[in-house]
Amino acid sequence: MRRPTMKDVARAAGVSPMTVSRVVSGEAGVSPGTAARVEQAVRKLGYQRNDNARNLRQKNLGTSTIALVVDDLANPFYALMARSVEDEAHRRGYVVLVGSTNDEPRREREVIAAFTARQVDGLIIVPTKGGHGFLKQPMEGGTQVVCVDRPAKGLAVDTVTVDNRAGAERAVAHLLGHGHTRIAYLGDRYDIWTQRERHLGYLDALAAHGLPEDPDLVRHGLRSHREARAALAGLRALDRPPTALFTSNDLITLGVLDGLDHPAPVAIVGFDDLPLAERLSPPLTVVSQDPVAIGGTAANLLFARIGGDRSAPRSVVLLTRLLVRGSGEFRAETTTQHPGHQQ
């Protein structure tokens, strides 16, 4: 049986829902006879007041919950970010709800709608490519929003990103500095903001060395280990295969490493660090961003907004680091003599 509502009580007592609300809340202004009818209906129906819903209607009283919406929680980068957000929330007595979108705008709307229906005090979101006008209504209702990893087009909120383009340019320039001119780019979907930025960094480095982009060496849309391995196989089957690889995120790097399970004369630099990357043979050179710092920064911005900060939206750009370990340091003229990458 469904739980009786205030409207059910009002119908049974022959009064308005507002009158029922006043009676169950102990407010004045209701005649003794009317109050008695309401109380009788409450007992008969077994109605129980929803104190949480009642509290939410009172201004300046939140739920002590926030939500984090990411692309894919199975991605180690987002898992570490989520843990960082959770740590900041725990220190403040907040609970974090987490959902994944798989970078699908429709699913993003569904996940965010589910969280806002639970009256979360704030949202930290990794935006998809879709529009985000649907967030204006919950924001007007007091829900605070911070974007992380990517900006949301047309949404004026605090945003935390890293220097994706500059980081990618440094990585490719590093390979160019070791004599490589046939450098392949392996990327995720091009409609993802971070991926566009990293591809632009790849192009910036080539242009700075007077090299045009070779479409044969570029692979976009890689969403799984299997797709990354297949892309690698296609690149290695070219008449003039690349002598170096730039992989644009950790999942693609893992797929490529799986495909290099035997001696392979190729240098590689990945965007995002990996657990035990320094223990691979050779150790993996990467552009490292700090998901813990990114998540913590986003959480601190959100809690400041929840606490009443109404200053202009801020855009925080954190710096990446190129960690030189060995896999990107093979010189182009000697890679054919090197034992290559093994996992």
Side-chain angles (χ1 to χ4, degrees), residues 259-280:
L260 293 176
D261 56 359
H262 59 277
V266 62
I268 178 172
V269 177
F271 203 110
D272 293 328
D273 205 357
L274 299 174
L276 304 180
E278 69 279 4
R279 297 190 181 183
L280 297 175

Side-chain angles (χ1 to χ4, degrees), residues 21 29 41 50 64 161 163 233 295 305 322:
S21 177
N50 188 335
S64 294
T161 60
D163 60 338
R305 296 299 184 184
L322 180 66

Side-chain angles (χ1 to χ4, degrees), residues 140-153:
E140 289 171 356
T143 303
Q144 304 301 318
V145 176
V146 171
C147 290
V148 66
D149 191 42
R150 318 163 188 170
K153 186 176 181 180

Side-chain angles (χ1 to χ4, degrees), residues 162-164 166-168 170 271 287-289 318-322:
V162 301
D163 60 338
N164 289 280
R170 282 196 301 273
F271 203 110
V287 178
S288 175
Q289 54 179 330
L318 303 179
L319 299 180
T320 57
R321 293 187 300 154
L322 180 66

Side-chain angles (χ1 to χ4, degrees), residues 95-324:
V95 173
V96 182
L97 308 178
V98 183
S100 299
T101 67
N102 197 33
D103 258 317
E104 298 172 0
R106 180 176 178 179
R107 180 166 170 172
E108 177 187 48
R109 285 174 175 260
E110 293 172 349
V111 170
I112 291 177
F115 288 153
T116 55
R118 287 164 173 76
Q119 301 288 342
V120 295
D121 298 331
L123 291 163
I124 297 175
I125 64 172
V126 177
T128 68
K129 66 174 181 177
H132 291 80
F134 67 93
L135 283 170
K136 292 182 180 179
Q137 183 175 353
M139 289 171 64
E140 289 171 356
T143 303
Q144 304 301 318
V145 176
V146 171
C147 290
V148 66
D149 191 42
R150 318 163 188 170
K153 186 176 181 180
L155 198 63
V157 296
D158 293 333
T159 303
V160 181
T161 60
V162 301
D163 60 338
N164 289 280
R165 186 168 180 169
E169 182 179 8
R170 282 196 301 273
V172 178
H174 181 72
L175 294 169
L176 289 163
H178 284 79
H180 298 278
T181 57
R182 292 190 60 75
I183 303 171
Y185 173 91
L186 294 92
D188 203 328
R189 285 192 350 226
Y190 193 72
D191 58 10
I192 298 174
W193 180 82
T194 53
Q195 296 300 302
R196 290 198 304 275
E197 289 291 299
R198 293 170 194 176
H199 181 246
L200 287 172
Y202 166 81
L203 296 179
D204 290 342
L206 294 180
H209 284 71
L211 296 173
E213 179 183 28
D214 184 345
D216 288 343
L217 299 180
V218 176
R219 300 289 186 276
H220 292 297
L222 309 179
R223 295 290 290 173
S224 68
H225 288 198
R226 179 183 58 80
E227 291 176 349
R229 288 196 302 271
L232 174 65
L235 288 166
R236 296 175 76 181
L238 293 173
D239 290 338
R240 295 182 58 221
T243 62
L245 310 172
F246 172 61
T247 52
S248 71
N249 67 28
D250 48 1
L251 292 182
I252 293 172
T253 303
L254 286 170
V256 167
L257 291 174
D258 285 344
L260 293 176
D261 56 359
H262 59 277
V266 62
I268 178 172
V269 177
F271 203 110
D272 293 328
D273 205 357
L274 299 174
L276 304 180
E278 69 279 4
R279 297 190 181 183
L280 297 175
S281 179
L284 186 65
T285 293
V286 298
V287 178
S288 175
Q289 54 179 330
D290 188 346
V292 173
I294 295 168
T297 301
N300 285 325
L301 287 170
L302 183 68
F303 285 117
R305 296 299 184 184
I306 292 173
D309 182 357
R310 296 297 178 265
S311 60
R314 282 161 280 188
S315 178
V316 179
V317 180
L318 303 179
L319 299 180
T320 57
R321 293 187 300 154
L322 180 66
L323 302 182
V324 176

